[in-house]
């Protein structure tokens, strides 16, 4: 639950941002598939699910505040080539890593909002990995090649994202490997 | 593609609204499942996908405008009992049916924005059905019973939503039955 309006507003904004990220990754994933980058498509699809986990966590941390709100959230737009879409993906993730989650986190800490602190922390940890994965994907796509990838696992509790591996225990939230959802071709 | 900024802004706002609707239906669906309303959970899950179709259509109609935007979008919040969550679902759908899509549609028509007109039309048609389905679900849940439901089919092109049936042809967008995705327990 959330007690202070500033943190509540940040949770709503982050929820809007994650919600929009999910949808554009679904669209950009389809585009990657059409262009023959099936592993980039898989990456978009799996990371979309990580954003769903983040959106759900923010929504749950905001559980006691009910009703209709006009929410301001940041989103990347444009449906271009996969190389162009990856630029948007990288910029979105880097904006979350460098500005949104660090500032929302210190505000939540200042206000003693433990659920929001945890929810923002989980997201920040995952977005750093996402930014790195998308930067790598862009390099490959710009060389006209797909990325190497067999499967992706995503922690259903925190959105931690692992390429071609399944940890015994989530390094971010501590859940066992059974909490990971596997995305394959 | 979109030419006028007012319609572009409305597409972004509708995209934010649909994106947030998808995520809260996923969360509220899990809650319905936990409360033993497995058919209400299925309804939330299927309708979430219809909102994904709408979000994707708005995003595609906005395809030529690239970059990062701060987007204002309407969303229902609160994670309560399934009866309470259905109130939020009904209010969200009714707001889209009575205000958002009718006004966005006349603006898009005035500006000669054919892609946006189509995307808003597809959504408006589906939201009317969603509002009705959620009102029916709330009546049942308030009587302590689940809804009767075997499966839901959703048109992948327009989000048209059918309970326990599969049309030969989508009555909204004209796609054949093969364009429908089926959601079962
Ligand atoms: Fe995220
Ligand atoms: Fe991310
Ligand atoms: Fe985790
Ligand atoms: Fe919708
Ligand atoms: Fe709807
Ligand atoms: Fe359709």
């Amino acid at each position: 639950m959330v007690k202070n309006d500033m943190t509540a507003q940040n949770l709503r904004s982050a929820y809007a941002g994650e919600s929009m990220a999910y949808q554009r990754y679904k669209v950009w994933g389809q585009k990657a598939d059409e262009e023959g980058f099936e592993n980039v498509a898989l990456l978009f699809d799996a990371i979309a699910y990580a954003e769903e986990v983040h959106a759900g966590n923010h929504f749950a941390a905001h559980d006691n505040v009910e009703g209709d709100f006009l929410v301001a959230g940041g989103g990347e737009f444009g449906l271009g080539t996969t190389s162009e879409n990856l630029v948007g993906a990288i910029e979105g993730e880097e904006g979350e890593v460098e500005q949104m989650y660090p500032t929302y986190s210190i505000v939540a800490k200042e206000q003693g909002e433990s659920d929001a602190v945890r929810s923002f922390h989980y997201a920040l940890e995952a977005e750093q990995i996402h930014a790195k994965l998308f930067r790598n994907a862009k390099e490959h796509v710009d060389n006209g090649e797909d990325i190497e990838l067999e499967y992706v696992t995503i922690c259903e509790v925190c959105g931690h994202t692992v390429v071609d591996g399944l940890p015994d225990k989530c390094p971010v939230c501590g859940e066992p490997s059974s909490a990971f959802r596997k995305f394959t071709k």
Side-chain angles (χ1 to χ4, degrees), chain A residues 48-158:
Chain A
Y49 175 66
E51 314 309 3
E52 178 175 327
V53 171
H54 298 155
N57 286 342
H58 300 337
F59 196 83
H62 189 276
D63 60 349
N64 55 311
V65 183
E66 288 174 21
D68 180 48
F69 290 87
L70 184 66
V71 184
E76 301 289 328
F77 287 84
L79 176 47
T81 64
T82 296
S83 173
E84 289 165 341
N85 297 338
L86 283 165
V87 173
I90 293 163
E91 285 177 358
E93 299 287 350
E94 289 180 344
E96 290 180 332
V97 167
E98 292 162 12
Q99 303 229 23
M100 191 174 81
Y101 283 123
T103 58
Y104 286 7
S105 290
I106 55 166
V107 170
K109 274 175 200 155
E110 157 72 21
Q111 299 196 318
E113 297 277 10
S114 55
D115 290 351
V117 167
R118 187 173 52 248
S119 195
F120 294 150
H121 168 65
Y122 285 173
L124 177 56
E125 290 299 311
E127 314 312 2
Q128 296 178 44
I129 295 167
H130 297 170
K132 204 170 161 183
L133 291 169
F134 286 137
R135 282 192 296 261
N136 174 63
K138 178 157 163 51
E139 272 180 37
H140 280 74
V141 166
D142 286 348
N143 288 329
E145 63 193 23
D146 203 349
I147 52 174
E148 282 173 40
L149 181 64
E150 291 300 322
Y151 63 95
V152 183
T153 59
I154 307 278
C155 175
E156 296 178 350
V157 170
C158 75

